[in-house]
Amino acid sequence: MKTLMTKTYSTPFLRTTLIVCGLLATPLIATSQTKPAASAQGKVAATKSGTQVVKPPIAFAYIDLATNASDMPGGMMGGAMQGAQSGGFFGALGGMARGGTGNNDRGNVFGNTHSMGFASGRFMDVSVFTNKNTSLTDANQMIPAGMNLGDSLKLLAPAPEKPVQYTPSEETPSEPSYEKPKGKISIYWGCGETIRPGQPRTLDAAKASPEDYAKFFTMRGKVTKGARSQPGNPAWPNKSDDRKVPDTASLVGQHHFVGNGIPESFKLNLASNNDLMAAIELVQTKKAGGVGLEWKSVPNARGYFISVMGGQSGSGDNPKS
């Protein structure tokens, strides 16, 4: 996954563009700044004491990118993706069992770049914000022809949630009854053919509390910055445009964000090193006691993260795979 962020600072003498590119949890920051005019440095860039004054950006946008590939049947992967969008890890498992619905051309939803790879294809989440109009409901992103999605994308913000009005009613309180699941979940991590000391980390489902689950399933790849679909942040994809990103799409070229309160100068050019990545080609080889994984190097990749799920049922000396 890549996260691209651009900010625009608009003054008569100073304009700064910041692009942040990240592959999963390994961000790379590159800054390009133009030097302000000498006659304006005392007013814009420095105080009387000589310290630099940094003004907050007027507008900023995020572009999250992901390319997923899987050898699992399409129905299972489609169901897993749909389940992950609403139920996270366990929702994905349930969706995988049910299978996916819908055709192949539509059904794209915001957040697919964080769907844990449960669907093959290319995905992009975009959002924009401006502090000149914090209630911005819609915007346009003019895109290069290579994206094969037309001239522009319509970004829409969800409406603020209406407060829920509570109407008192007579009810008979009852204690819910349920039976905790039985089983254990173990997590291994690292690289190599041997298990590192201190592993695995194991969760006993019969004894675990909700807090235990939250700590156990903490994702290392989750970032605090990125595209978001919320009031005041128009985003794509959305309910009005749920097209999927074509397999041939390329983001290389100029992107221009337009909207009420967004500076006209809010443009950026993406180079090939910030484009969608090629799909990873993974080869599995059975080995004694495990499975070996090999893959071809992916251009522009700075790191590789592999996650594997497996399970067994039964007890005693006769577990079932």
Side-chain angles (χ1 to χ4, degrees):
M1 181 191 70
K2 289 184 177 181
T3 299
L4 310 178
M5 178 180 70
T6 179
K7 297 183 178 181
T8 180
Y9 299 75
S10 182
T11 71
F13 306 105
L14 174 64
R15 182 172 299 155
T16 304
T17 301
L18 172 67
I19 298 179
V20 180
C21 311
L23 173 63
L24 292 179
T26 57
L28 171 68
I29 300 177
T31 305
S32 176
Q33 182 172 335
T34 57
K35 191 174 181 180
S39 60
Q41 283 183 338
K43 296 181 180 180
V44 177
T47 63
K48 292 181 180 179
S49 62
T51 58
Q52 186 177 8
V53 176
V54 179
K55 294 184 178 181
I58 294 176
F60 58 88
Y62 293 94
I63 301 176
D64 294 349
L65 306 175
T67 298
N68 299 335
S70 173
D71 56 0
M72 293 185 66
M76 293 179 65
M77 294 308 298
M81 181 185 70
Q82 294 170 7
Q85 291 161 3
S86 57
F89 177 78
F90 289 106
L93 295 180
M96 189 182 301
R98 294 190 299 271
T101 59
N103 58 48
N104 294 326
D105 298 327
R106 314 289 293 196
N108 189 15
V109 298
F110 188 90
N112 273 341
T113 59
H114 298 273
S115 65
M116 299 184 291
F118 282 118
S120 296
R122 293 185 160 192
F123 301 97
M124 178 179 72
D125 294 328
V126 183
S127 69
V128 65
F129 174 84
T130 173
N131 58 26
K132 295 294 186 181
N133 183 5
T134 57
S135 300
L136 185 64
T137 58
D138 62 275
N140 288 298
Q141 178 186 356
M142 315 307 292
I143 57 177
M147 288 190 65
N148 296 322
L149 286 170
D151 297 330
S152 64
L153 299 177
K154 187 70 173 181
L155 280 59
L156 299 176
E161 294 185 4
K162 296 181 179 180
V164 178
Q165 294 183 349
Y166 175 71
T167 303
S169 61
E170 294 185 3
E171 297 180 353
T172 302
S174 60
E175 292 293 331
S177 60
Y178 65 93
E179 183 178 350
K180 278 195 172 185
K182 297 179 180 180
K184 295 182 179 180
I185 304 173
S186 296
I187 291 182
Y188 300 81
W189 62 93
C191 184
E193 297 183 357
T194 58
I195 299 174
R196 294 181 178 181
Q199 297 190 37
R201 187 166 73 238
T202 301
L203 178 75
D204 189 335
K207 301 178 181 178
S209 66
E211 292 76 15
D212 294 329
Y213 276 95
K215 293 178 181 178
F216 189 77
F217 288 106
T218 299
M219 294 182 62
R220 296 184 179 183
K222 196 168 185 179
V223 295
T224 56
K225 293 182 178 180
R228 69 284 310 276
S229 178
Q230 61 188 40
N233 293 258
W236 185 94
N238 47 61
K239 292 182 179 179
S240 296
D241 186 358
D242 63 350
R243 293 173 296 165
K244 292 185 178 180
V245 178
D247 291 338
T248 57
S250 172
L251 276 71
V252 173
Q254 185 181 86
H255 296 253
H256 182 195
F257 292 89
V258 180
N260 185 11
I262 300 176
E264 175 61 28
S265 59
F266 197 5
K267 304 175 182 179
L268 72 152
N269 283 281
L270 295 183
S272 58
N273 61 325
N274 287 330
D275 202 0
L276 285 153
M277 289 186 177
I280 191 170
E281 298 179 28
L282 194 65
V283 178
Q284 304 181 45
T285 305
K286 289 186 177 181
K287 293 185 177 181
V291 177
L293 302 177
E294 297 179 359
W295 59 88
K296 296 180 181 179
S297 177
V298 177
N300 300 323
R302 299 193 302 275
Y304 299 90
F305 298 83
I306 306 294
S307 60
V308 180
M309 290 188 298
Q312 60 184 19
S313 61
S315 59
D317 297 329
N318 299 308
K320 299 178 182 180
S321 299

